[in-house]
């Protein structure tokens, strides 16, 4: 990291490759990048006060000048982070009313169909915060929608990183961290889904318990320790709660910090736009351009979540009712981000390996743990797998367009197809009722498609990418506008006309 | 507690080799093919995620066609003095071709009516499942009955005479305990009809005999209390039969009526189909909106 | 708080900004930004009013969305049209180890020698052993998280002579279950028990094709199976009467009721265990014994345990 350094010009030279560093001929006087609010009466003295005691302003100034590529796909990760912030805010509000208590109470509240019904205190508190707390239902629904968006944004972000090869050296570790963040987010989703102790979440927990129990030799013990005994237990809600509100968010915040630190140190990748080289970053400075765009993106993300939370009912637990172990309903699904796992469990054949009267591999073990484990491990360490296959271990700061690495795009499409087929199989009863096809036939179709689909997707994507690559790409228009060039004294000079901009950007015309 | 009397129980169940030969709700292959092709076309056009959501909305729209018009049926009871000969004449014109002159059924045409009684007949006629139009789909619920109420009354009386079975339960939901009804509903009905009574796919009989049929537990969102009672006591098609006391039938019907009219405080209920349409909305509306914003943030649209 | 500080002749860190005339686009953007701010102010006021009068979730959600979108939109338009945000270029230095830091093998070896790690192998071994021992000792209390399952996975509350009751604990009478009827039942004293949940079905006489040794377990077409799916433990509550099969709503495992609950479809690896029942002269049922095998999903030593 660029820590507090001796002088701004020393460690952050803004100049174009290969050009002599201009003397301060046309430099704007002073410093074109003021400390925020430098003209305001309060902020300036306050900043000086801080600087005199910490020396941080040198770092702060260089931080404010950090350049962010100006492309909408670079906002995907930010959107995930903003969804996470909304989750923290709404989640904190919910903890003020939710009681993580699995003990039984009798409901007496405004929701008549449950009047006098036995339920856990946890479920009762969810009803109370939904019906009796002003804004409670909105907060709960916004929290749930934000969770769905959080994971959707992470997956979209990872897809962009994958297709453009942004995970290549030196960023392999940040891919691993990012993928770990996805796993933590999934765990957050599953634990959160299970907290209200309604019929749907209890059924989900029952299935999770059964899958854990299927671990060879250790399963029953692990399941018993995790759940606090034989399912259903009263302990599980309070245990999931502490995992959901403390351990996982803590891990997420820690890893997000490391993730961002790595981005900071390694700087952003960039697309092959005119002027972009392996040795520069072209874009907007953090202050003020990128910072305000990010704030805008955060507020707009919050707006979308608020809109969904207000207009679309999500997880109406009062309809499902409290969990009872002897009832289940169709359609019974987890949230979509676990839908692919549900599909795997639904389509698996009923094989299990039994030797000498001992079930070595109970049925749910392979579809429930082994296959997801293999799929995720491959994706998790993908940068190293790709480097091993291609032998390419050079640093890459310029991104591939997806078609420039046809086999990578094809592999990504194949993975996406596997998850998509599994997701559809996980919704097979809903699809069956819509298409009027028996679920059994759909399952058989998806059993074939989960193998055939990725092959087809691979071939089709590969050929499309090859075609795009061979027939050439549309020439990219030269960048217009002005560019700012940092000179040796830390000042900036403006470059105005297009030809000059392109020249200033390193002479890179359309590639 | 007014226990229902089942006048005749034997003979409802077909012998085992024939089981599944007459699913209650069967859709011709052509119709299913058309809908499937339409569905796959949408899949190709909009991508798989879109399919999930359309499944949600399409399901909600397509399957909630219950028995709206049989509201007229409320309070109908069998008049023992009704004109049996008029009923017989109507039966011969409308039903006998498939169900036989004595209601004994006709091989490859229609199942026996034995054991249907007044309740089963009223259910089939008031929900528009019968008689089905030429080239139509048998046992498909329709928006309104095909026959007039007077005609149905005649047929109900006549079939109850030749094929005795459960009487129409006099369902009365006023004052019934909906909390008790909710528990009965979750324990007995929700496994097929769903917790929101939005209906569900419960597989197809095609596994054993290759018949390309499909079973749908229909949405109850437009069912009347009367129809619910008739279905509970007769178990149409693959539905099991229940011998609930009348009080419990009242409670179940009261809870389903509650679900029909209950406000959804959280906003649009998305068909009452749970996480599948929710996931679709999250991606198709939420993510798409945010990506659109991201695109706008990174470009100056006016220049 | 800056009292006493010497005034820096440079005053602020920033210098003069270039001033240029406002364009038409910028004027329009100014108006638009202003309107968006007004929208946020109105929506915020609306939210306060809504809180006071207790409006509904939809109103709150839309107002909140408008408030956020107004502010966010205003900031975005501002930064795009009214702020000077030129394209900038930053040099990227190759990421490499600091050459000043000596990590040469010789240097590292010398440090190791100083630490004593290389010479005192015995102590190193003991170091690892002590750390391992401490970690293990700290981890052992994890076993107080829950009782080990023991025999609990192999038994239910059903035993010989258990009377059959419904979910409310009332005795079940044969007349309550018509042909093609189904009811969820429990052993007397344990209504609602997760492990003991059982479906009691009436398929009518003469249809059941049970194995010979179980012929007496299903009097007059009444047959009882564990309701816990042998796949993942969901309650198998979906009875398709004309098909005489039970389907699990979770993963669609299908069991043939007439044929001893053999699996005809889906991921369940084994049939639902059958409960031997007897019809009493008064029309109630009793169990002739517990389930002959463990109920519910598979686990590794399931088959070695034996029944209740």
């Amino acid at each position: 990291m660029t820590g507090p350094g001796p002088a701004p010009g020393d460690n952050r030279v803004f100049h174009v490759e290969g050009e002599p560093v201009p003397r301060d001929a046309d430099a704007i006087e002073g410093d074109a990048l003021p400390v925020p609010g430098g003209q305001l009466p309060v902020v300036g003295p306050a900043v000086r006060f801080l600087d005199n005691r910490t020396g941080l302003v040198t770092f702060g100034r260089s931080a404010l000048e950090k350049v962010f590529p100006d492309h909408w796909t670079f906002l995907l990760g930010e959107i995930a982070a903003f969804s996470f912030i909304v989750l923290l805010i709404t989640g904190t509000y919910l903890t003020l009313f939710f009681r993580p208590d699995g003990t039984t109470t009798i409901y007496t509240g405004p929701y008549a169909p449950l009047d006098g019904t036995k339920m856990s205190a946890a479920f009762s508190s969810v009803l109370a915060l939904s019906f009796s707390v002003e804004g409670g239902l909105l907060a709960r629904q916004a929290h749930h929608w934000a969770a769905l968006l959080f994971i959707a944004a992470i997956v979209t972000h990872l897809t962009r990183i994958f297709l453009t090869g942004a995970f290549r050296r030196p960023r392999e570790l940040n891919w691993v961290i990012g993928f770990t963040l996805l796993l933590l987010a999934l765990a957050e989703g599953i634990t959160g889904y299970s907290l209200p102790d309604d019929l749907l979440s209890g059924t989900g927990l029952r299935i999770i318990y059964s899958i854990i129990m299927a671990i060879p030799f250790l399963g029953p013990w692990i399941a018993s320790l995790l759940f606090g005994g034989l399912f259903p237990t009263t302990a599980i809600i309070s245990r999931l709660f502490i995992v959901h509100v403390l351990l996982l968010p803590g891990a997420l915040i820690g890893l997000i910090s490391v993730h961002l630190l790595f981005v900071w140190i390694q700087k952003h990748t960039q697309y092959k736009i005119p002027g972009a080289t392996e040795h520069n970053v072209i874009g907007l400075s953090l202050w003020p351009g990128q910072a305000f765009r990010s704030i805008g993106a955060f507020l707009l993300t919050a707006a979308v979540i608020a809109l969904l939370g207000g207009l679309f009912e999500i997880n109406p637990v009062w309809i499902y009712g409290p969990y009872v172990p002897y009832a289940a309903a169709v359609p019974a699904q987890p949230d979509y981000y676990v839908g692919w796992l549900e599909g795997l469990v639904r389509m698996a054949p009923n094989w299990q390996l039994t030797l000498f009267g001992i079930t070595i591999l109970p049925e749910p073990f392979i579809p429930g743990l082994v296959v997801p484990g293999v799929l995720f491990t491959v994706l998790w360490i993908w940068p190293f797998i790709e480097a091993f296959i291609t032998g390419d271990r050079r640093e890459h700061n310029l991104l591939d367009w997806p078609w420039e690495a046809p086999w990578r795009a094809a592999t990504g499409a194949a993975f996406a197809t596997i998850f998509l087929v599994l997701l559809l199989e996980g919704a097979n009863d809903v699809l069956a009722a819509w298409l009027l096809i028996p679920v059994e036939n759909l399952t058989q179709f998806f059993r074939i498609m989960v193998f055939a689909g990725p092959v087809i997707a691979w071939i089709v994507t590969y050929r499309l990418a090859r075609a795009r690559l061979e027939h050439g790409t549309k020439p990219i228009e030269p960048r217009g506008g002005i560019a700012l060039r940092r000179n040796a004294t830390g000042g900036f000079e403006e470059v105005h006309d297009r030809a000059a901009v392109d020249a200033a950007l390193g002479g890179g015309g359309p590639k | 507690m007014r226990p229902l009397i089942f006048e005749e129980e034997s003979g409802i169940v077909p012998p085992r080799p024939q089981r599944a030969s007459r699913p209650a709700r069967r859709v011709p292959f052509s119709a299913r093919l058309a809908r499937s092709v339409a569905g796959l076309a949408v899949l190709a056009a909009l991508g798989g995620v879109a399919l999930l959501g359309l499944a949600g909305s399409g399901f909600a729209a397509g399957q909630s066609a219950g028995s709206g018009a049989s509201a007229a049926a409320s309070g109908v009871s069998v008049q023992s003095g009704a004109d049996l000969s008029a009923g017989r004449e109507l039966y011969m014109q409308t039903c006998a071709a498939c169900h036989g002159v004595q209601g004994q059924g006709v091989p490859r045409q229609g199942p026996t009516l034995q054991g249907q009684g007044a309740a089963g007949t009223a259910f089939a006629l008031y929900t528009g499942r019968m008689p089905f139009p030429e080239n139509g789909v048998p046992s498909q619920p329709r928006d309104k009955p095909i026959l007039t109420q007077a005609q149905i009354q005649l047929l109900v009386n006549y079939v109850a005479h030749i094929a005795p079975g459960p009487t129409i339960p006099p369902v009365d939901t006023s004052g019934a305990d909906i909390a008790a009804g909710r528990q009965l509903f979750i324990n007995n009905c929700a496994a097929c009809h769903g917790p929101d009574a939005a209906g569900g796919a419960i597989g197809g009989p095609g596994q054993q005999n290759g018949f390309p049929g499909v079973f749908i537990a229909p949405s109850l969102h437009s069912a009347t209390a009367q129809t619910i009672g008739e279905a509970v006591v007769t178990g149409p098609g693959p539905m099991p039969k229940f011998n609930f006391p009348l009080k419990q039938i009242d409670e179940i019907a009261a809870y389903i009526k509650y679900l029909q009219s209950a406000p959804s405080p959280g906003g649009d209920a998305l068909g009452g189909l749970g996480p599948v349409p929710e996931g679709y909305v999250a991606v198709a509306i939420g993510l798409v909106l945010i990506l659109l914003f991201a695109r706008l943030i990174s470009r100056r649209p006016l220049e | 708080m800056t009292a006493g500080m010497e005034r820096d002749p440079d005053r602020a860190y920033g210098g003069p900004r270039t001033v240029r005339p406002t364009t038409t686009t910028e004027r329009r953007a100014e108006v638009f930004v202003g309107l968006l701010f007004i929208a946020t102010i109105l929506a915020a006021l609306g939210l306060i009013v809504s809180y006071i009068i207790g409006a509904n979730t939809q109103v709150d959600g839309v107002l909140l969305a408008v408030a956020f979108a107004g502010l966010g939109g205003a900031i975005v338009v501002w930064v795009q049209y009214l702020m000077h945000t030129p394209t900038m270029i930053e040099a990227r230095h190759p990421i490499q180890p600091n050459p000043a830091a000596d990590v040469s093998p010789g240097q590292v070896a010398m440090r190791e020698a100083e630490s004593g790690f290389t010479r005192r192998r015995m102590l190193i071994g003991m170091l690892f052993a002590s750390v391992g021992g401490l970690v293990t000792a700290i981890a052992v209390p994890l076993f107080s998280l829950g009782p080990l399952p023991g025999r609990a996975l192999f038994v239910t509350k059903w035993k010989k002579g258990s009377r059959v009751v419904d979910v409310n604990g009332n005795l079940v009478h044969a007349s309550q279950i018509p042909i093609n009827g189904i009811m969820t039942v429990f052993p007397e004293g344990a209504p609602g028990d997760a492990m003991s949940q059982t479906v009691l079905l009436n398929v009518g006489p003469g249809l059941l094709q049970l194995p010979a040794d179980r012929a007496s377990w299903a009097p007059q077409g009444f047959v009882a199976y564990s309701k816990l799916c042998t796949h993942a433990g969901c309650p198998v509550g979906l009875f398709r009467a004309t098909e005489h099969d039970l389907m699990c709503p979770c993963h669609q495992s299908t069991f043939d009721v007439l044929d001893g609950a053999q699996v005809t479809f889906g991921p369940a690896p084994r049939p639902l265990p059958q409960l031997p029942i007897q019809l009493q002269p008064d029309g109630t049922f009793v169990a002739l014994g517990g389930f002959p095998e463990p109920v519910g999903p598979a686990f590794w030593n399931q088959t070695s345990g034996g029944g209740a």
Side-chain angles (χ1 to χ4, degrees):
Chain A
M1 176 182 285
T2 343
D10 280 357
N11 55 356
R12 295 182 62 81
V13 182
F14 286 68
H15 70 91
V16 176
E17 282 270 326
E19 275 192 10
V21 177
R23 311 295 295 176
D24 52 344
D26 301 328
I28 297 167
E29 280 301 316
D31 195 330
L33 279 171
V35 168
Q39 307 291 338
L40 298 177
V42 181
V43 179
V47 167
R48 274 198 302 277
F49 176 86
L50 186 69
D51 195 22
N52 286 335
R53 281 150 189 82
T54 61
L56 273 178
V57 168
T58 307
F59 167 67
R61 276 163 48 102
S62 71
L64 295 179
E65 289 159 5
K66 188 174 176 57
V67 170
F68 286 70
D70 181 18
H71 192 273
W72 66 277
T73 56
F74 281 72
L75 281 173
L76 296 171
E78 291 194 21
I79 289 167
F82 299 147
S83 309
F84 183 61
I85 292 173
V86 173
L87 281 167
L88 290 178
I89 295 168
T90 52
T92 304
Y93 187 72
L94 293 178
T95 58
L96 304 179
F97 304 100
F98 177 70
R99 285 180 56 196
D101 182 356
T103 52
T104 306
T105 61
I106 305 286
Y107 179 74
T108 51
Y111 188 68
L114 286 169
D115 195 36
T117 303
K118 272 202 299 190
M119 59 179 64
S120 66
F123 187 77
S124 178
S125 72
V126 174
L127 292 179
L129 82 85
S130 300
F131 292 127
S132 308
V133 176
E134 176 80 10
L137 183 58
L138 180 60
R140 212 189 108 228
Q141 299 201 135
H143 190 71
H144 205 137
W145 285 117
L148 300 193
L149 273 182
F150 180 41
I151 294 174
I154 294 176
V155 171
T156 319
H157 177 56
L158 284 171
T159 306
R160 201 276 292 175
I161 300 291
F162 184 94
L163 290 179
T164 58
F167 53 80
R168 289 172 297 176
R169 184 177 174 177
R171 298 180 180 79
E172 306 99 320
L173 277 182
N174 228 15
W175 167 272
V176 173
I177 292 171
F179 206 84
T180 312
L181 284 170
L182 171 65
L183 298 182
L184 290 174
L186 289 175
E188 272 288 47
I190 292 168
T191 50
Y193 173 91
S194 306
L195 281 181
D197 202 23
D198 59 290
L199 189 61
L200 207 50
S201 74
T203 306
L205 274 180
R206 167 78 234 195
I207 295 168
I208 291 170
Y209 177 85
S210 303
I211 289 176
I212 294 173
M213 213 163 68
I215 297 172
F217 306 116
L218 297 173
W221 286 272
I222 297 174
S224 244
L225 289 180
L226 289 179
F227 282 73
L230 203 62
F231 191 87
T233 64
T234 51
I236 189 64
I237 297 296
S238 51
R239 288 184 186 183
L240 288 174
F241 181 71
I242 204 64
V243 172
H244 183 75
V245 305
L246 179 72
L247 301 184
L248 289 174
L252 275 166
I253 291 170
L255 269 187
I256 288 173
S257 308
V258 178
H259 196 64
L260 296 181
L261 180 67
F262 274 35
V263 172
W264 194 275
I265 293 172
Q266 297 172 337
K267 296 195 169 75
H268 280 87
T269 54
Q270 58 186 344
Y271 287 108
K272 288 172 181 161
I273 56 172
T277 72
E278 289 283 357
H279 306 290
N280 66 8
V281 192
I282 298 178
L284 301 172
S285 60
L286 173 58
W287 186 270
Q290 185 63 32
F292 283 109
R293 284 175 198 226
S294 293
I295 293 170
F298 168 63
L299 291 166
L300 290 172
T301 304
V304 170
I305 292 169
L307 194 70
L308 291 174
L311 293 186
F312 295 101
E313 189 166 88
I314 188 164
N315 201 20
V317 290
W318 50 90
I319 296 285
Y320 305 137
Y323 177 65
V324 287
Y326 47 82
V330 286
Q333 263 90 20
D335 279 339
Y336 78 92
Y337 45 78
V338 202
W340 58 275
L341 182 55
E342 174 78 7
L344 251 176
V345 174
R346 284 185 186 199
M347 72 161 54
N350 64 342
W351 303 331
Q352 59 183 11
L353 179 60
T354 303
L355 284 180
F356 311 114
I358 290 176
T359 310
I360 308 289
L361 297 174
E363 196 283 333
F365 179 62
I366 289 178
L369 289 171
V370 175
V371 178
V374 170
L375 284 174
F376 270 21
T377 304
V378 169
L379 289 172
W380 196 55
I381 58 169
W382 178 259
F384 304 104
I385 295 178
E386 181 176 313
F388 178 78
I389 294 173
T390 60
D392 179 1
R393 292 184 171 80
R394 288 167 300 161
E395 278 198 10
H396 291 279
N397 296 314
L398 278 180
L399 296 174
D400 286 337
W401 296 108
W403 56 87
E404 288 181 317
W407 73 275
R408 185 202 291 138
T411 308
F415 268 108
T417 308
I418 293 176
F419 283 104
L420 188 63
V421 169
L422 293 176
L423 185 63
L424 291 174
E425 166 68 3
N428 64 356
D429 44 2
V430 176
L431 289 179
W434 179 53
L435 299 172
L436 296 179
I437 295 174
V439 274
E440 295 90 340
N441 299 7
L442 273 181
T443 297
Q444 281 157 345
F445 173 70
F446 288 133
R447 277 174 179 167
I448 297 167
M449 283 312 289
V450 80
F451 293 104
V455 175
I456 297 168
W458 201 96
I459 294 170
V460 169
T461 313
Y462 186 82
R463 307 199 95 169
L464 287 175
R466 291 292 303 190
R468 173 88 198 244
L469 199 57
E470 280 158 16
H471 295 298
T473 54
K474 204 173 59 170
I476 298 164
E477 291 296 313
R479 279 176 88 81
I482 60 166
L484 239 67
R485 192 165 48 186
R486 191 91 189 254
N487 63 30
T489 58
F492 283 84
E493 54 186 3
E494 291 199 17
V495 195
H496 284 276
D497 65 296
R498 287 194 168 194
V501 169
D502 281 344
L505 290 172
K511 300 213 163 187
Chain B
M1 299 269 278
R2 292 155 289 174
L4 286 166
I5 297 159
F6 284 77
E7 298 167 29
E8 175 66 54
E9 305 237 55
S10 61
I12 304 171
V13 184
R16 187 155 195 260
Q18 287 178 15
R19 68 186 182 144
S21 61
R22 277 287 159 191
R25 246 200 91 189
R26 200 177 64 198
V27 181
F29 183 67
S30 58
R32 289 190 309 107
L33 184 67
R35 293 188 70 162
S36 311
V37 168
L40 290 173
V42 171
L43 175 70
L46 297 180
V49 191
L51 180 58
L52 290 179
L54 285 175
S57 53
F59 186 10
Q63 294 307 317
S64 59
S67 46
S70 61
S74 302
V76 167
S77 59
V78 180
Q79 304 292 319
S80 58
D83 190 351
L84 280 181
S85 69
R88 181 174 189 280
E89 193 177 330
L90 187 57
Y91 178 86
M92 291 304 170
Q93 292 167 7
T94 319
C95 321
C98 297
H99 294 293
V101 289
Q102 289 299 314
Q104 76 278 24
V106 175
R108 308 184 64 79
Q109 290 294 320
T112 175
L113 297 179
Q114 289 305 312
Q116 287 296 317
T121 313
F123 177 84
L125 295 175
Y126 275 118
T127 60
R129 283 175 166 79
M130 284 286 151
F132 66 94
E134 203 165 341
N135 302 322
V137 179
S139 300
Q140 172 107 358
R142 291 178 182 82
D143 288 341
K144 50 185 182 181
I146 309 296
L147 303 177
T148 67
Q149 193 179 351
Q151 288 174 314
I152 292 175
Q153 194 60 59
L154 288 173
L155 281 177
V156 165
N157 291 343
Y158 181 71
V159 176
H161 179 69
I162 62 167
T167 55
I168 297 174
V171 184
D172 177 14
T173 58
S174 59
D177 180 357
I178 56 170
R182 194 202 72 84
Q183 291 200 342
L184 285 163
F185 182 82
I186 287 289
N187 294 347
N188 295 289
C189 318
C192 300
H193 293 283
D196 199 24
I202 53 169
Q207 294 315 304
Q208 284 108 18
N209 55 14
F211 187 86
V214 57
F215 284 155
I216 302 288
S219 163
L220 307 178
H221 284 173
S222 51
T224 64
Q226 195 62 46
T227 327
I228 294 163
E230 290 158 3
V232 166
V233 299
T234 57
M239 177 169 161
K241 268 168 90 165
F242 297 91
N243 211 355
F244 293 132
L246 189 52
K247 174 170 169 287
Q248 293 188 346
I249 296 177
D250 291 345
E251 289 166 350
I252 291 173
Y255 180 63
I256 295 171
K257 297 309 284 182
Y258 172 85
L259 284 178
Q260 291 172 2
S261 61
S264 58
D268 190 301
L270 302 175
L273 291 170
V276 174
E278 290 167 4
Y280 172 69
V281 167
V283 172
I285 298 180
L287 187 66
V288 165
L289 264 182
I290 289 182
L291 294 185
L292 198 69
F293 284 141
R295 190 80 179 75
L296 292 176
I297 288 169
S298 298
R299 286 284 182 278
R300 292 196 243 194
L302 298 184
E303 287 173 6
Chain C
M1 57 186 189
T2 56
M5 268 186 79
E6 274 209 7
R7 286 204 160 249
D8 182 2
D10 253 329
R11 184 72 178 81
Y13 286 89
R17 306 299 301 267
T18 37
V19 179
R20 52 196 173 76
T22 310
T23 65
T24 321
T25 311
E26 283 173 348
R27 285 213 187 81
R28 276 165 47 202
E30 279 170 5
V31 173
F32 192 50
V33 168
L35 289 176
L36 287 171
F37 280 141
I38 291 171
T40 297
I41 294 167
L42 291 180
L45 289 175
L47 273 171
I48 296 169
V49 172
S50 158
Y51 183 85
I52 293 168
I53 64 172
N56 68 10
T57 301
Q58 284 68 58
V59 174
D60 286 352
V62 171
L63 285 175
L64 198 58
V66 170
F68 278 131
L71 193 55
I75 288 175
V76 168
V77 176
W78 189 323
V79 75
Q80 282 179 340
Y81 295 100
L82 305 176
M83 206 175 267
H84 184 61
T85 58
T87 300
M88 297 183 67
I89 316 162
E90 183 180 0
R92 189 197 298 274
H93 302 291
I95 296 167
Q96 57 196 17
N98 184 352
D102 186 358
V103 288
S104 64
Q107 176 75 9
V108 171
M110 196 185 80
R111 294 286 174 197
E112 274 184 18
E114 285 171 4
S115 69
F117 288 156
T118 43
R119 289 186 292 144
R120 302 188 171 86
R121 298 197 179 276
M122 177 75 178
L123 283 183
I124 292 291
M126 287 170 70
L127 171 67
F128 281 114
S130 62
V131 170
L134 185 59
V135 167
T136 312
I138 291 172
V140 161
L142 285 177
F143 282 97
S144 52
L145 280 177
L148 293 180
R151 298 288 304 159
L153 288 170
F154 296 96
V155 295
T156 68
K157 299 256 165 57
W158 290 103
K159 46 186 189 291
K160 185 170 166 53
S162 291
R163 295 206 288 179
V164 175
V165 298
D166 67 10
V167 67
N168 297 315
N170 302 318
L171 283 175
V172 172
H173 198 274
S175 68
Q176 289 174 277
I177 310 174
I179 291 177
N180 279 353
I182 176 174
M183 185 182 278
T184 304
V185 298
F186 300 89
E188 192 173 29
D193 182 61
M195 285 289 278
S196 309
Q197 55 179 304
T198 300
V199 281
L200 179 55
L201 305 125
N202 180 1
V203 296
L207 290 177
L208 284 169
Q209 299 176 338
L210 296 171
D213 57 331
R214 292 200 233 157
S216 62
W217 290 12
Q220 298 178 23
F222 287 95
V223 61
Y225 296 106
S226 166
K227 200 182 179 182
L228 268 185
C229 186
T230 55
H231 171 231
C234 286
V236 187
L238 204 159
F239 178 44
R240 303 189 297 193
T242 47
E243 307 299 294
H244 298 105
D245 55 26
L246 281 164
M247 193 181 194
C248 179
C250 291
H251 307 108
Q252 291 123 16
S253 294
T254 309
F255 305 90
D256 187 345
V257 168
L258 301 182
D259 195 14
Q262 291 291 333
V263 182
T264 57
F265 186 79
R270 65 189 182 109
L272 299 170
Q274 186 182 349
L275 183 74
I277 52 168
Q278 192 176 43
L279 185 55
Q280 301 292 95
D282 62 356
T284 61
F285 297 90
V286 295
L288 292 171
F291 286 102
E293 52 195 299
V295 298
F299 49 95
W300 70 274
N301 58 345
Q302 187 169 45
T303 44
S304 65

